[in-house]
Amino acid sequence: MSPTLREVLSAPPSDRQVAGLAALPRGFYERDAEAVALDLLGKLLVRELPDGRAVVRLSEVEAYLGVGDPAAHTFGGRRTARNEVMWGEGGHLYVYFTYGMHHCANVVTGPAGVPEAVLLRGGLPVYGNELIRKRRRTGTTDLDGPAKLCQGLAIDRADNGTDLTAGGVWLADDGVFVPPSVVRRLPRVGIAYAGEAATWPLRFCLSLDASAPSRRRARQNR
DNA sequence: GACCAGATGTACT
DNA sequence: GTACATCTGGTCT
């Protein structure tokens, strides 16, 4: 049996590799949300915690296209204390509280004044799994949902506005190649109120249970 | 797989 | 003051 993509992408990096994970540059974020969302798949979300470093490989994200997107918090130019961070420059974290008990983390994209964002919906724990387990209410390490991701990495509103290029929490590229053939494009989740926009295929996720493309091919494609 | 309670911040009247 | 939210976990079928 060839390994699944999940198995390949969950492979733990070495301590040395983790210590060397550098933040993606500002320029990565200063593009439209859809492009950033696609490129975030397979990237590493690194979180510095009091008891160590936790690293998650992103497997599911959603793009929110700003003022023209009825599902976005900034639809129609809405600007409030809550979504203020989305109006700033790309590369910052937008964390909001919802359903009375959950946090969701977004990456702000585009230049200042263009309020787009990418919601981080899920990932695979690859390093510091015990730290993640400790923080999950359920004592598990699964991070297949935006609120689970925040809980596992202890991200809450205190992290709202954090600069992703300045430490604490950041995104990194460890060179793992994600071939387009394993990316699925689906309608977004939980936004039925947004009418027709609920069907826009702006949710991107990896086909984790498909068998992984061979190493040789992956290397050729890099 | 479907269904539902949970608990409160936020936007808007 | 009121309605509802970029959801999760547990229960029931």
Side-chain angles (χ1 to χ4, degrees):
Chain A
M1 247 326 245
S2 57
T4 63
L5 190 62
R6 180 191 305 278
E7 288 161 348
V8 171
L9 295 183
S10 303
S14 67
D15 292 349
R16 199 164 138 227
Q17 283 172 312
V18 169
L21 289 172
L24 293 170
R26 178 86 54 209
F28 177 87
Y29 304 101
E30 290 179 325
R31 300 177 291 151
D32 65 273
E34 191 170 345
V36 174
L38 203 48
D39 283 348
L40 278 176
L41 288 176
K43 294 289 188 293
L44 298 174
L45 175 59
V46 187
R47 173 63 158 165
E48 206 71 77
L49 294 163
D51 45 350
R53 195 171 271 195
V55 182
V56 169
R57 193 180 301 282
L58 295 176
S59 61
E60 185 173 345
V61 297
E62 265 175 18
Y64 285 85
L65 307 186
V67 298
D69 180 357
H73 287 171
T74 52
F75 175 56
R78 192 165 42 193
R79 186 167 187 165
T80 65
R82 178 172 71 149
N83 69 26
E84 185 58 31
V85 175
M86 281 185 74
W87 289 89
E89 69 176 343
H92 290 255
L93 203 58
Y94 169 44
V95 183
Y96 63 87
F97 185 72
T98 190
Y99 288 101
M101 64 189 93
H102 299 301
H103 296 281
C104 293
N106 299 248
V107 171
V108 177
T109 70
V114 180
E116 304 190 358
V118 177
L119 170 65
L120 307 181
R121 286 196 61 85
L124 300 166
V126 297
Y127 187 87
N129 295 21
E130 278 314 306
L131 308 185
I132 293 169
R133 188 192 309 280
K134 233 165 59 180
R135 286 166 174 81
R136 291 277 289 120
R137 213 152 44 93
T138 50
T140 55
T141 61
D142 55 309
L143 299 172
D144 56 342
K148 295 181 187 178
L149 194 63
C150 286
Q151 193 182 68
L153 295 179
I155 292 172
D156 59 29
R157 269 183 310 165
D159 299 294
N160 187 39
T162 297
D163 186 347
L164 294 168
T165 66
V169 52
W170 67 97
L171 287 146
D173 184 355
D174 68 342
V176 164
F177 176 73
V178 175
S181 61
V182 301
V183 175
R184 280 186 294 164
R185 229 178 205 279
L186 302 164
R188 292 175 292 182
V189 173
I191 54 163
Y193 62 87
E196 188 257 333
T199 65
W200 296 356
L202 293 175
R203 174 179 168 214
F204 303 95
C205 59
L206 298 175
S207 310
L208 292 174
D209 296 313
S211 57
S214 74
R215 276 189 171 215
R216 172 181 278 191
R217 252 194 63 213
R219 200 165 288 156
Q220 274 176 356
N221 283 339
R222 267 179 69 184

